[in-house]
Amino acid sequence: MAAAPVPAPSRRAELLRIAADLFAERGYKTTTVRDIADAAGILSGSLYHHFDSKESMVDEILSTFQAGLFAEYDAVIASEDDVRTKLERLVHISFAAIDRDRPAVAIFQNDAGALAADDRFAYLRENNERFQTMWSDLINEGIRTGALRDDLDPVLTYRFIRDTVWVAVGWYRPGGPLGATEVAEQYLAILLDGLGARAS
Amino acid sequence: MAAAPVPAPSRRAELLRIAADLFAERGYKTTTVRDIADAAGILSGSLYHHFDSKESMVDEILSTFQAGLFAEYDAVIASEDDVRTKLERLVHISFAAIDRDRPAVAIFQNDAGALAADDRFAYLRENNERFQTMWSDLINEGIRTGALRDDLDPVLTYRFIRDTVWVAVGWYRPGGPLGATEVAEQYLAILLDGLGARAS
DNA sequence: GTCTATAGCCCGATAGAC
DNA sequence: GTCTATCGGGCTATAGAC
């Protein structure tokens, strides 16, 4: 047999997970390296055996997360599905990402804006633009083909979808009464058909 | 004539406005008293002639804002309007608040969670509960009376409305192409009737 | 109402022992 | 891989001169 394909998480990976939880809960700037070390049961200086800096920790968390997310998005966009199906799949992917990688999503939501000003995090700006282009192209195609209503501002529609999906990281918890799939379905129900009762 | 009813803003009020802008842009914790003093053109020590502490500044910003907002909400809830009209009025009030008091809304969105842990900010927790009860009662009445669809989780519906409205503070700017009233109308159009094209 | 000057503390990061 | 010990600097807040 070959070596186990899923080795026990390395100490380094464990420390990164601890850091991500704290960054997500308290914010990147307000979490200190001493907070991270305390949570890991070591002293702050020992962290620098594993990582160059606090900044390189958050960099690794965000870049790893975004690489995985975009790989999933690209597969949907490249598919032959119609607009509505693509939109539904993108929303499901996003809620699954919140479920699987909540800390990374929260850090992205809360701290990416401040980090993106630094050259080191230029990829955050680039990915943001890529994300907006992807969604806007899809929305515009939906309006053109009649899948989406045509009396709304497309830019506002984009922001509405983007915000409603990601802001759920603020309250969604993996063990809660509704799973990521159910939440995605109900969100899509509101997003596509609205809260108002149907005229019968 | 009586004394002018709207005196020129006091130095104190001006400093508080400067602080609110910075808190909103960079976050409460990461904004330093030196940042505020620099923006006001004075030295950090001089701020303490006007305010007890940085904490008392953010306290005054948030408590003043919330008192005004709840006064407006209460008038709607106490009215004789039907559920749908009340819901529309509440959303319009919220977007008007973002338009009028953007810094306070942003600070509330970004920093209230961390501040609420302190006893001094217990009113944030109380108001949050009051806000949720107000909205949940309205949503449940809407479902009961047939104004809102009955196949969705009411708690999730509450979160959806709450989040979609307030998260707009992240991108809305007073001088932009769409005013607060137009944004509120389009948000309500999506929220109540959905993005999907109507079957004709 | 603002300035000068500083107290006391916490921050990220480093050097070298074990 | 973690510890001891610490550097240089930024933080909130204060005391007293002007």
Side-chain angles (χ1 to χ4, degrees), chain A residues 11 34 42-43 46 49-50:
Chain A
R11 182 64 168 147
R34 284 176 176 83
I42 59 177
L43 292 184
S46 307
H49 175 73
H50 304 275

Side-chain angles (χ1 to χ4, degrees), chain B residues 39-125:
Chain B
I42 58 177
L43 291 185
S44 64
S46 306
L47 276 177
Y48 291 85
H49 175 72
H50 303 274
F51 300 97
D52 280 349
S53 64
K54 177 181 156 184
E55 194 178 63
S56 75
M57 291 188 215
V58 77
D59 192 352
E60 189 167 329
I61 292 165
L62 288 176
S63 57
T64 303
F65 168 72
Q66 291 210 333
L69 186 66
F70 274 100
E72 293 189 277
Y73 282 161
D74 289 345
V76 172
I77 294 299
S79 77
E80 300 291 330
D81 292 330
D82 62 19
V83 169
R84 177 148 175 156
T85 303
K86 281 183 179 172
L87 190 150
E88 288 170 351
R89 288 181 64 192
L90 289 176
V91 170
H92 273 281
I93 284 172
S94 303
F95 277 102
I98 293 176
D99 186 68
R100 184 200 326 123
D101 240 344
R102 203 178 60 81
V105 176
I107 296 164
F108 176 73
Q109 282 284 101
N110 299 325
D111 298 304
L115 291 169
D118 192 307
D119 280 344
R120 172 171 194 164
F121 295 93
Y123 66 88
L124 291 174
R125 296 194 295 273

